[in-house]
Amino acid sequence: MKKLFITALAAIAIGTSAFASPASISSKVSEHFTASFSKAKNVSWNSSERFDKVSFMLNNEKVFAFYDTDGELIGTSKTMAFDKLPKSALENITSKYLYPEYQLKDCIEFTTAFNEKNYYVSMDRKNESVVLEITKGGAVSVFARNRK
């Protein structure tokens, strides 16, 4: 499960997944999605060998849902405002990853199928991208580091 979660998050951070039509998505995923997100609008399906990704609008927010190959929900993600992160995380990040050397790219809230929340912040600088993982309690760790 952890590998699938990490794979899903890596896809979010890097933005890689292949397009798939709703017909290529399993009926279990489709049924679970419809039951869980009945008010979803502008639904778009994507698929890879490891997971299915559904992007949609819900309550005027862009949301992504991730399902494993067995059709079980891995979790959901949505963009959030950087200043809504836990205060201790904001202090840590803004003192360690100084602007303008580091440019904020994305700030994402990821909620697992078990309703556990973590936050992911991606930042770019001249020769690398860094993705930070922030716990609900505000602990910050490097989730991924990629050279450009």
Side-chain angles (χ1 to χ4, degrees):
M1 181 67 173
K2 187 172 182 177
K3 280 187 176 185
L4 286 172
F5 170 72
I6 291 171
T7 302
L9 227 16
I12 293 169
I14 301 169
T16 60
S17 62
F19 177 76
S21 68
S24 66
I25 304 296
S26 77
S27 61
K28 186 173 181 179
V29 169
S30 180
E31 289 169 10
H32 185 277
F33 175 77
T34 302
S36 299
F37 305 102
S38 61
K39 296 184 180 187
K41 297 181 181 185
N42 301 328
V43 177
S44 175
W45 299 85
N46 291 280
S47 186
S48 74
E49 290 179 12
R50 295 183 171 238
F51 62 91
D52 294 323
K53 174 178 145 185
V54 186
S55 62
F56 55 99
M57 295 297 292
L58 186 65
N59 301 326
N60 295 321
E61 286 187 293
K62 181 82 166 187
V63 180
F64 300 92
F66 298 88
Y67 293 88
D68 66 19
T69 54
D70 294 326
E72 298 296 324
L73 180 68
I74 298 168
T76 60
S77 70
K78 62 183 179 179
T79 301
M80 65 177 284
F82 180 74
D83 64 352
K84 300 296 184 202
L85 291 170
K87 185 178 179 182
S88 60
L90 285 172
E91 291 170 355
N92 183 324
I93 294 168
T94 56
S95 67
K96 208 175 212 180
Y97 300 92
L98 301 175
Y99 180 83
E101 182 181 359
Y102 286 91
Q103 303 278 326
L104 177 65
K105 186 174 175 187
D106 290 307
C107 186
I108 296 169
E109 175 186 271
F110 188 87
T111 306
T112 69
F114 306 107
N115 211 28
E116 298 168 351
K117 288 186 183 181
N118 279 331
Y119 309 99
Y120 295 86
V121 173
S122 60
M123 305 179 90
D124 284 343
R125 70 178 187 170
K126 185 177 180 181
N127 58 356
E128 80 174 337
S129 293
V130 177
V131 179
L132 305 174
E133 179 178 40
I134 299 101
T135 65
K136 191 174 179 182
V140 179
S141 61
V142 175
F143 179 76
R145 187 180 302 268
N146 297 307
R147 296 259 175 221
K148 290 184 179 180

